[in-house]
Amino acid sequence: MQLVIGNKNYSSWSMRPWVLMRHFGLAFEEIKLRLEFGSDTQFQRELARYTPAGRVPVLLLDGHAVWDTLAIVEALADALPALPIWPRDARDRARARSLCAEMHAGFSALRNHCPMNIEARLPEAGARVLATEAAVRVDLARIDAMWSGQLGASGGPFLFGEFGAADAFYAPVVARCRSYALPLSPLARAYADRVWATPGVAAWVADALAERDFVAEDEPYRSAPI
Ligand SMILES: N[C@@H](CCC(=O)N[C@@H](CS)C(=O)NCC(=O)O)C(=O)O
């Protein structure tokens, strides 16, 4: 298997399947493309070798391209049915898919105003966004309630007991909460800390910190390279 990804510091969508695959100890080759925005970039030209969709991540299964995180997670679950990527219980599985779909299709205010930037510490930007953007407050409250409710239902330590696709989908939100110092309830904060400490997430974060790259489009709150 190969996984085509963007910069680890910035590419929240790439992070999701990568940490899931790493968590389950899957052997895969990582193909990292430097993010660039706009048309006719080197990023777009290289990516076009793998997908016509123009976005990372892309999973190559025996050379067959699967793109978009939801499709990638489903393809992994199909290919590796012994792994608890989704919960075993059908109702839990349906709920886990709902949470992933909610992330995939929603939380645009949080995503737009607090783009993932693992190495950055931007508490002032976070405070400003929370003070001025009601939609971000709504997104954060929904995520906190989702995590807290789901941890109460499952008993933890992860959303459905053991770490799986739903936790991987929310790992970039954990990164945003840290960078922008977004407030969480004690239950949600403890969950976020557990996610951060998982070996797959920790490995991604270590790689992100080592990148020391600067993509201006992903740095709305800073104008200078690190
Ligand atoms: N719905 C897609 C979103 C993927 C996505 O937006 N990827 C970003 C990087 S995190 C990207 O490739 N951006 C490049 C561009 O927009 O040109 C998924 O779930 O994989």
Side-chain angles (χ1 to χ4, degrees):
M1 287 192 288
Q2 294 159 302
L3 188 68
V4 186
I5 61 170
N7 292 48
K8 287 180 173 168
N9 190 49
Y10 303 116
S11 185
S12 60
W13 293 109
S14 302
M15 182 182 189
R16 293 172 169 102
W18 193 99
V19 301
L20 194 65
M21 292 167 78
R22 185 69 178 247
H23 177 82
F24 287 114
L26 305 182
F28 65 98
E29 181 196 349
E30 168 187 311
I31 301 171
K32 190 161 77 172
L33 307 182
R34 184 177 188 276
L35 284 169
E36 285 179 290
F37 295 87
S39 53
D40 199 28
T41 59
Q42 191 179 346
F43 172 78
Q44 289 296 343
R45 282 191 295 276
E46 287 184 36
L47 189 55
R49 290 166 28 203
Y50 309 107
T51 174
R55 300 259 164 113
V56 285
V58 182
L59 176 69
L60 301 171
L61 279 175
D62 294 326
H64 185 66
V66 183
W67 58 87
D68 196 287
T69 47
L70 275 182
I72 290 171
V73 168
E74 292 294 0
L76 288 170
D78 270 0
L80 302 158
L83 294 182
I85 289 174
W86 295 116
R88 300 274 178 227
D89 176 79
R91 287 167 65 92
D92 284 345
R93 197 159 59 246
R95 180 59 53 86
R97 286 188 166 118
S98 294
L99 299 195
C100 289
E102 191 175 345
M103 178 73 247
H104 190 260
F107 303 124
S108 57
L110 179 67
R111 279 166 35 203
N112 292 338
H113 288 286
C114 301
M116 191 172 89
N117 189 339
I118 287 176
E119 65 80 22
R121 288 295 166 267
L122 297 160
E124 298 85 4
R128 198 166 54 244
V129 162
L130 282 175
T132 56
E133 302 296 334
V136 176
R137 295 197 296 275
V138 169
D139 281 355
L140 194 62
R142 166 63 194 136
I143 288 169
D144 197 313
M146 172 206 290
W147 288 355
S148 302
Q150 195 50 51
L151 290 166
S154 71
F158 296 103
L159 293 174
F160 293 88
E162 56 189 317
F163 188 94
D167 305 291
F169 259 72
Y170 284 89
V173 173
V174 171
R176 290 173 158 103
C177 289
R178 295 179 77 90
S179 290
Y180 297 90
L182 303 178
L184 291 169
S185 66
L187 198 60
R189 164 67 52 210
Y191 166 71
D193 290 346
R194 285 195 295 278
V195 168
W196 201 250
T198 55
V201 173
W204 176 276
V205 169
D207 290 353
L209 295 177
E211 270 176 359
R212 306 198 68 75
D213 195 0
F214 184 84
V215 176
E217 289 87 343
D218 270 311
E219 298 266 4
Y221 301 112
R222 297 193 297 189
S223 54
I226 47 178

